[in-house]
């Protein structure tokens, strides 16, 4: 029997082990922020922003960014219906109303025409989530944001290393957030980071991130306002520093394994994959294959076929409006037909950096056999 193929796992080398060992051994007292500061500075340099604040999660980074902008009850925040819940939870925590719009069939990201239609007098922000490494149409979103006086946010958790016309994903909007969860392109176990070029916003989030204590506050245990506790530990940051030193290697490996999938599968006209339009570099966090509507594939068939071969493929995100959390609040199936349709016939393929050619072949065999079965009329 062949071994199980995981859908993702981090790439850990001697470097990561050395840094973490150093942090856990020596990173206390005077040294207790050293790796955190190094990670923040190095990450900002890599992404191309002035500022970065390491956090315990991407969710926390987004929560603080939205809070710093004063988003709250009565405000509306627009984002794509196709997303992981972490991109919308902070909107709900703050009492604002998420407004879900449809995705485009090719980028699987925000449909900018739908965004424009969804803008009301109460709209405060647009969260552009770059899905699976694919990028949103940032040029059009920036036009919309400036025309209507909205804040534009990038949730680039899935697009670390992707580039849009020479700029790194996450550096383009008013602020960006990333996740360093164990499944992401670079990991700190759990963790995230907030990035921005806006110094005023940076100062606000910095204060919020430190239980509301302003930088320069001399009085001990004296919060200036109510803040949050979403800090990253120095030990996690040490892991992050090692991963960041290897970031080009990690992103190239993602792109290389995606190229191998394309080599085996791109010749089938029934399949489409993560796009890379002109001006975009796609870091392909999750290589994803979409079966055509004509292939009549169902999500159940996809999952069964992979699990039968011990391959841990993952379902495309459910529309947020379909989740029990939001039940009864939206009638989105009519509003976001692409979100409801795509998740039925798309699947994320395994994509860890060390995946072998043999494992890629095993995954591709499942896809090809599914196509042949559909072609032969067995449903
Ligand atoms: C993983 C992910 C998150 C959540 O990150 P955490 O670090 O787990 O909070 C948020 N947004 C997107 C787009 C993600 O993929």
């Amino acid at each position: 029997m062949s071994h199980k193929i995981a859908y993702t796992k981090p790439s850990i080398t001697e470097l990561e082990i050395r840094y973490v060992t150093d942090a856990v051994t020596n990173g206390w007292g005077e040294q207790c922020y050293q790796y955190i500061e190094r990670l923040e500075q190095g990450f900002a340099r890599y992404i191309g922003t002035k500022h970065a604040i390491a956090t315990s999660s991407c969710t926390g980074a987004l929560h603080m960014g939205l809070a710093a902008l004063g988003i709250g009850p009565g405000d509306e925040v627009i984002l794509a219906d196709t997303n992981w819940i972490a991109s919308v939870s902070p909107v709900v925590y703050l009492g604002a109303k998420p407004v879900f719009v449809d995705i485009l069939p090719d980028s699987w990201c925000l449909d900018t025409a739908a965004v424009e239609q969804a803008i009301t007098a109460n709209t405060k922000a647009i969260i552009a989530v770059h899905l699976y490494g694919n990028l949103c149409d940032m040029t059009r979103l920036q036009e919309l944001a400036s025309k209507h006086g909205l804040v534009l946010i990038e949730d680039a958790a899935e697009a670390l290393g992707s580039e849009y016309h020479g700029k790194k994903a996450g550096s383009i909007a008013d602020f960006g957030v990333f996740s360093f969860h164990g499944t992401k392109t670079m990991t700190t176990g759990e963790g995230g980071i907030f990035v921005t070029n806006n110094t005023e916003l940076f100062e606000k989030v910095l204060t919020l991130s430190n239980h509301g204590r302003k930088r320069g506050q001399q009085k001990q245990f004296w919060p200036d306002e109510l803040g949050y506790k979403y800090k990253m530990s120095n030990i996690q940051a040490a892991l992050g520093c090692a991963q960041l030193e290897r970031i080009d290697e990690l992103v190239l490996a993602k792109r290389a394994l995606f190229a191998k999938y394309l080599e085996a599968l791109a010749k089938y006209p029934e399949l489409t994959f993560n796009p890379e339009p002109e001006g975009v570099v796609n870091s392909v966090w999750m290589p994803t294959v979409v079966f055509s509507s004509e292939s009549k594939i169902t999500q159940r068939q996809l999952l069964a076929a992979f699990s039968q071969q011990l391959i841990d493929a993952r379902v495309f995100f459910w529309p947020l409006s379909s989740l029990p959390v939001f039940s009864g609040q939206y009638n989105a199936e009519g509003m976001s037909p692409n979100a409801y349709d795509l998740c039925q016939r798309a699947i994320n393929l395994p994509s860890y950096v060390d995946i072998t050619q043999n494992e890629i072949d095993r995954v591709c065999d499942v896809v090809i056999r599914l196509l042949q079965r559909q072609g032969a009329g067995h449903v």
Side-chain angles (χ1 to χ4, degrees):
M1 192 72 185
S2 29
H3 62 278
K4 186 169 167 145
I5 301 179
Y7 96 113
T8 179
K9 56 189 168 189
S11 163
I12 302 297
T13 65
E14 285 300 318
L15 186 70
E16 281 82 358
I17 294 166
R18 182 148 55 82
Y19 282 9
V20 172
T21 305
D22 178 51
V24 78
T25 312
N26 305 311
W28 308 103
E30 295 283 288
Q31 269 89 259
C32 75
Y33 297 117
Q34 263 181 2
Y35 280 107
I36 299 173
E37 284 163 10
R38 183 165 150 191
L39 178 65
E40 289 173 340
Q41 284 162 15
F43 196 83
R45 202 175 320 118
Y46 173 71
I47 293 297
T49 55
K50 277 193 207 149
H51 310 288
I53 301 171
T55 56
S56 54
S57 70
C58 177
T59 311
L62 184 56
H63 191 184
M64 290 193 294
L66 291 168
L69 293 166
I71 287 176
D75 296 337
E76 293 176 5
V77 177
I78 298 172
L79 74 163
D81 203 3
T82 296
N83 264 313
W84 173 227
I85 191 151
S87 299
V88 71
S89 302
V91 176
V92 181
Y93 299 159
L94 291 165
K97 183 184 172 207
V99 174
F100 301 127
V101 301
D102 205 4
I103 53 170
L104 293 167
D106 53 354
S107 72
W108 322 324
C109 291
L110 275 175
D111 177 344
T112 55
V115 171
E116 187 165 25
Q117 277 182 3
I119 294 172
T120 71
N122 296 324
T123 308
K124 287 282 153 32
I126 302 166
I127 304 178
V129 187
H130 303 303
L131 208 78
Y132 303 137
N134 306 355
L135 296 188
C136 299
D137 179 349
M138 293 308 291
T139 308
R140 183 71 190 124
L141 290 175
Q142 279 181 312
E143 280 167 12
L144 286 175
S146 68
K147 180 174 161 197
H148 297 273
L150 309 176
V151 177
L152 183 59
I153 297 159
E154 282 178 282
D155 182 343
E158 301 176 13
L160 178 56
S162 286
E163 288 175 27
Y164 187 81
H165 299 283
K167 285 187 177 166
K168 285 275 188 331
S171 72
I172 303 159
D174 293 293
F175 74 81
V177 291
F178 293 85
S179 171
F180 302 139
H181 180 255
T183 56
K184 298 288 154 69
T185 297
M186 162 184 154
T187 191
T188 59
E190 292 280 1
I193 203 160
F194 169 94
V195 296
T196 187
N197 284 312
N198 180 331
T199 301
E200 198 185 329
L201 185 63
F202 163 72
E203 290 290 345
K204 278 190 189 160
V205 172
L206 196 65
T207 300
L208 286 179
S209 77
N210 194 16
H211 267 314
R213 287 177 291 188
K214 285 212 169 73
R215 204 210 313 240
Q217 172 58 262
Q218 296 297 324
K219 204 162 160 180
Q220 291 179 345
F221 301 119
W222 196 258
D224 298 279
E225 60 183 289
L226 192 69
Y228 296 91
K229 186 63 195 294
Y230 286 137
K231 286 184 157 202
M232 178 184 282
S233 78
N234 198 53
I235 301 169
Q236 291 169 302
L239 179 50
C241 285
Q243 293 263 287
L244 187 60
E245 274 184 39
R246 297 178 54 226
I247 189 66
D248 290 335
E249 171 200 336
L250 296 175
V251 170
L252 280 177
K254 281 281 192 182
R255 287 176 57 79
L257 72 91
F258 178 61
K260 286 183 188 164
Y261 278 128
L262 287 186
E263 202 178 296
L265 298 174
K267 56 177 170 275
Y268 297 95
E270 302 94 326
L271 306 176
T272 48
F273 305 86
N274 309 58
E276 192 169 62
E278 216 186 308
V280 165
V281 176
N282 192 326
S283 61
V284 215
W285 173 57
M286 284 281 140
T288 301
V289 55
V290 182
F291 287 69
S292 67
S293 313
E294 293 73 38
S295 68
K296 298 265 189 297
I297 200 93
T298 63
Q299 192 192 65
R300 194 139 51 96
Q301 289 171 321
L302 283 171
L303 284 176
F306 282 101
S307 81
Q308 203 176 33
Q309 296 302 316
L310 296 181
I311 297 166
D312 187 15
R314 290 294 164 108
V315 298
F316 200 85
F317 292 128
W318 307 103
L320 292 172
S321 61
S322 73
L323 301 180
V325 188
F326 297 111
S327 81
Q329 297 177 47
Y330 296 89
N331 170 26
E333 187 152 11
M335 268 167 48
S336 40
N338 290 330
Y340 278 78
D341 170 37
L342 270 166
C343 64
Q344 294 301 324
R345 51 190 177 86
I347 196 140
N348 304 144
L349 305 177
S351 64
Y352 46 95
V353 161
D354 301 319
I355 196 166
T356 65
Q357 182 66 51
N358 178 270
E359 289 167 331
I360 292 209
D361 293 343
R362 267 177 63 195
V363 175
C364 293
D365 278 350
V366 175
V367 175
I368 293 164
R369 258 184 280 152
L370 275 166
L371 282 175
Q372 287 165 347
R373 217 168 55 181
Q374 298 309 112
H378 303 293
V379 179

